[in-house]
Amino acid sequence: MEQQPAISDYGFLSDSRSGALVGKDGSIDWWCPHRFDGASVFGRLLDPHAGHFRLAPVGVGGQGHRVERAYQPDTLVLRTVHHTPQGSVAVTDALAAEFGARAHELGINSPAVLIRVVEGLSGRVRMALDFAPRPEYGLLTPYLHEQPDGAIAAAAGPVTLLLRSAELPLRAGRDRVTHEFEVSAGQVIGVDVAYAATYGAPPVRLDPVAALADTVLAWEAYREPHQYPGRYPAQVRHSATVLTGLTYARSGAITAALTTSLPERIGGDRNYDYRFSWLRDFSMTMRALWVAACPHEASRLFAWVSRSIGRIGDEPVPVLFGLEGERDLTEHDCAQLRGYAGSGPVRIGNDAWQQRQLDVPGEVLSAVWRLRDYLGGTFDGELREMVLGLTEQVATTWHLPDQGMWEARGPEKHYLSSKVLCWLTMDRAVRLADRLGERADPDRWARIRDEIRDEVLRRGWNERMGSFTGAFGSAELDASALFLPVVHFLPASDPRMRSTIKVVERELGTDDGLVRRWSTDPAGFVLCSFWLVECLVLAGERRRAKELFERVIGQANDVGLFSEQIDLTTGVQLGNTPQALSHIGLINAAWRLTEPYSF
């Protein structure tokens, strides 16, 4: 059986409408061209028969073959150099920006075109092209039709793809296009794949070499005004670029990850669809965008959240939404896909939207507080109604159990992090009361805030363990306790927090700087590792925080990408990738090391 590429072998391409993953072997194994959460046309990532598009030297990965990869600075345009015994060749991959797109236009009207440009560097290298699209997560095998201009049209169900190269004489096979050719030093060959809905406008036709150059200019122009003044500027700018790549430009929503169902543990079943936008991540995301000097993106994200939540009733606000604000994200298994490395099931949709998550309002109000000066001295009607509605919802429900930050699918509990975010809701509402009109009730809100705080300090602390734990009355240590100083519930210098940080680092930490979420978690959770960095800074241990930060960023793959988790034994990346929260954690930790008490 063909060996599955490691998750860290993949580079990330984006046009801020959709994204693709390209492996070191030159195979594009994931692309959902309609939008991030649409159906794949290349899905080999999750099943060897679900489609791919390989463009690489013949015998890629064999003896004498070496790969070097790097992004063009401040872009998600990826250049892969293959060194072979016969010579060297570069393949540069990108998802095309709209022609002439500049500044904040990136991704608004993306043409949905995948560009691959081959450049001979030395010698004479034989290349192999293998184009095998399988739309609808591998359910469809398209008909292939040769066009008068030499292009190949692949049509199946709702999808039409156009494979084109002016330099290569492509021929359609029964269910794929295969072609071998040689490239010499100085020779440039362009290939592109354009997507369109079958019953809409035809796929865009373009010159891939010219479009690639224009896409680089679009990314550079987009990133140029985003100046970050802090420490680790290269890593922060790159993580900000990744967040831009995960942003669905039409709405401003940030998708949690590009992929679905990459496992937390090989062979495990905690495989979930992360191609949606989580309100729980909202405040951390807003902070990261402001730190990385992306105010336009921050304001668009805030507008998307406000619109998505809508008028608040008795039902809990969902923890996640679709990229255009959809609520019903009902989950189902994709039975035809075997899963990454056989780790099924593959899930489409995410039933966490139906869970009770009491921490969501705290994330939203924390972001409102952060943007208060931008939002004005008196809030407009919709913003005022949202803040009042969220506050009153927490005031009447904070005492209930929920599913917790990690979205447990078992019984509801009184999770520590959820109660702390309920406290944050009431605290921020009190501080914002003068902007909320006559229905504001800061005295009552303050009493509820203080009651929640007393409950957390009394029931969340485990004297025997010398630590806050994951849930009231629990003896299960949980790294989410590191969130308390980050949201200013307790200072890191408080004896209880100092003890908690020490216990978490000792019991859940590793020599590589990684932190597990709980004791039975088989992998380090990248975000928790960056939380520990922040806690150490806030506790006055800056040198240790810096050392830890540098160990963690050293766990990124060769092009600076993080998935959700990292295996403690092998060091390989696990979980959906690239993971927005991991890169958000990096940005916020780098800023904490720059200005310890800015937030």
Side-chain angles (χ1 to χ4, degrees):
M1 181 180 293
E2 184 180 6
Q3 184 176 359
Q4 185 95 31
I7 292 172
S8 55
D9 280 354
Y10 288 104
F12 171 44
L13 313 177
S14 174
D15 57 9
S16 288
R17 160 183 171 155
S18 67
L21 293 179
V22 54
K24 290 181 179 180
D25 62 355
S27 184
I28 294 177
D29 291 344
W30 187 251
W31 188 30
C32 304
H34 175 62
R35 70 181 207 180
F36 290 112
D37 55 352
S40 67
V41 295
F42 303 134
R44 178 173 171 259
L45 179 73
L46 297 176
D47 191 286
H49 305 294
H52 65 275
F53 178 23
R54 179 176 288 170
L55 182 58
V58 172
V60 61
Q63 187 173 6
H65 182 265
R66 181 169 58 88
V67 172
E68 294 178 304
R69 301 190 298 178
Y71 284 109
Q72 302 266 34
D74 287 337
T75 78
L76 291 180
V77 175
L78 183 64
R79 189 171 189 263
T80 302
V81 178
H82 299 272
H83 300 286
T84 78
Q86 292 74 40
S88 296
V89 62
V91 180
T92 302
D93 294 314
L95 286 171
E98 181 186 12
F99 182 76
R102 298 294 184 268
H104 297 293
E105 301 169 358
L106 184 69
I108 297 294
N109 294 298
S110 299
V113 178
L114 176 63
I115 302 169
R116 314 198 75 177
V117 174
V118 181
E119 178 187 1
L121 302 178
S122 67
R124 189 170 179 84
V125 180
R126 189 157 188 82
M127 301 288 290
L129 178 153
D130 183 10
F131 173 73
R134 299 292 183 267
E136 292 289 299
Y137 301 111
L139 283 173
L140 294 173
T141 300
Y143 290 103
L144 302 179
H145 302 285
E146 296 177 3
Q147 306 296 297
D149 63 354
I152 306 293
V159 172
T160 296
L161 299 174
L162 190 69
L163 172 67
R164 186 183 184 196
S165 174
E167 295 84 11
L168 301 179
L170 301 174
R171 294 291 179 265
R174 183 176 182 275
D175 63 356
R176 66 203 310 141
V177 177
T178 59
H179 183 72
E180 291 191 6
F181 61 97
E182 290 188 339
V183 59
S184 303
Q187 189 175 5
V188 176
I189 296 172
V191 182
D192 69 272
V193 180
Y195 158 83
T198 296
Y199 302 104
V204 172
R205 293 174 179 261
L206 47 71
D207 177 346
V209 177
L212 178 65
D214 197 66
T215 298
V216 171
L217 289 175
W219 275 102
E220 290 174 344
Y222 188 86
R223 298 303 314 163
E224 192 277 330
H226 298 162
Q227 300 302 317
Y228 164 73
R231 302 186 68 179
Y232 305 99
Q235 291 84 355
V236 168
R237 285 184 67 85
H238 182 55
S239 286
T241 300
V242 172
L243 292 183
T244 299
L246 290 170
T247 299
Y248 182 66
R250 295 182 183 184
S251 67
I254 294 181
T255 184
L258 180 65
T259 57
T260 178
S261 301
L262 291 184
E264 297 179 7
R265 179 177 60 83
I266 301 300
D269 62 358
R270 286 181 56 85
N271 316 322
Y272 301 116
D273 194 345
Y274 277 15
R275 299 172 299 161
F276 310 110
S277 195
W278 264 254
L279 293 194
R280 175 182 296 111
D281 308 344
F282 185 47
S283 180
M284 289 181 283
T285 304
M286 293 291 287
R287 179 182 168 210
L289 291 174
W290 278 101
V291 163
C294 305
H296 178 77
E297 291 89 330
S299 61
R300 290 199 71 218
L301 178 60
F302 185 85
W304 171 83
V305 167
S306 178
R307 190 174 300 114
S308 297
I309 289 176
R311 188 175 294 279
I312 297 169
D314 295 333
E315 293 298 314
V317 175
V319 69
L320 70 155
F321 289 90
L323 301 179
E324 294 183 358
E326 301 91 342
R327 285 203 178 204
D328 188 346
L329 304 176
T330 300
E331 183 179 295
H332 68 276
D333 291 354
C334 219
Q336 76 274 14
L337 298 177
R338 63 189 294 266
Y340 177 83
S343 303
V346 171
R347 295 183 171 100
I348 307 301
N350 195 310
D351 277 346
W353 77 275
Q354 300 180 81
Q355 293 182 345
R356 183 184 3 247
Q357 297 285 356
L358 298 176
D359 54 352
V360 170
E363 284 287 329
V364 177
L365 262 70
S366 179
V368 173
W369 174 250
R370 190 175 303 283
L371 284 174
R372 61 193 182 280
D373 294 335
Y374 171 81
L375 294 170
T378 303
F379 291 167
D380 64 29
E382 290 187 6
L383 176 60
R384 183 174 62 251
E385 288 301 312
M386 181 182 75
V387 173
L388 288 167
L390 291 173
T391 302
E392 290 301 332
Q393 189 171 93
V394 169
T396 58
T397 64
W398 72 267
H399 61 283
L400 298 174
D402 71 349
Q403 306 296 153
M405 174 176 288
W406 309 125
E407 297 170 9
R409 298 205 171 189
E412 292 183 340
K413 298 180 182 179
H414 293 282
Y415 286 99
L416 179 83
S417 58
S418 298
K419 303 305 184 188
V420 169
L421 267 294
C422 288
W423 168 87
L424 188 65
T425 301
M426 307 313 296
D427 181 75
R428 298 303 184 257
V430 170
R431 296 168 185 260
L432 293 167
D434 60 348
R435 307 180 189 214
L436 298 175
E438 61 183 19
R439 289 164 54 204
D441 195 353
D443 292 338
R444 180 171 63 90
W445 295 343
R447 288 194 299 272
I448 295 171
R449 175 197 62 190
D450 295 343
E451 184 180 356
I452 298 171
R453 180 182 176 85
D454 290 344
E455 282 281 285
V456 170
L457 295 178
R458 181 172 60 87
R459 300 179 63 190
W461 174 258
N462 187 305
E463 186 67 34
R464 182 182 62 81
M465 297 176 65
S467 174
F468 288 102
T469 57
F472 286 178
S474 171
E476 180 70 32
L477 195 62
D478 193 303
S480 61
L482 297 174
F483 204 44
L484 272 63
V486 174
V487 298
H488 303 294
F489 180 85
L490 274 181
S493 57
D494 183 282
R496 290 162 294 188
M497 272 314 308
R498 281 191 175 275
S499 179
T500 298
I501 293 168
K502 183 178 180 180
V503 171
V504 168
E505 190 172 13
R506 182 184 70 235
E507 301 295 330
L508 301 182
T510 72
D511 292 340
D512 292 327
L514 299 171
V515 177
R516 295 172 295 159
R517 286 171 293 178
W518 49 76
S519 60
T520 58
D521 200 353
F525 201 84
V526 176
L527 175 65
C528 296
S529 307
F530 287 126
W531 281 347
L532 179 57
V533 171
E534 293 201 58
C535 284
L536 290 175
V537 171
L538 293 172
E541 300 185 56
R542 292 180 55 84
R543 177 178 295 181
R544 284 215 306 126
K546 176 179 178 294
E547 292 172 353
L548 176 65
F549 180 83
E550 292 178 356
R551 290 202 301 274
V552 176
I553 62 175
Q555 303 287 326
N557 77 352
D558 62 315
V559 289
L561 299 177
F562 281 107
S563 62
E564 183 179 42
Q565 295 180 266
I566 297 173
D567 187 273
L568 300 179
T569 303
T570 64
V572 302
Q573 298 203 15
L574 295 169
N576 286 306
T577 194
Q579 178 78 11
L581 270 183
S582 299
H583 290 276
I584 288 165
L586 185 155
I587 293 170
N588 288 336
W591 184 248
R592 190 74 74 180
L593 283 161
T594 301
E595 296 286 348
Y597 304 108
S598 292
F599 291 87

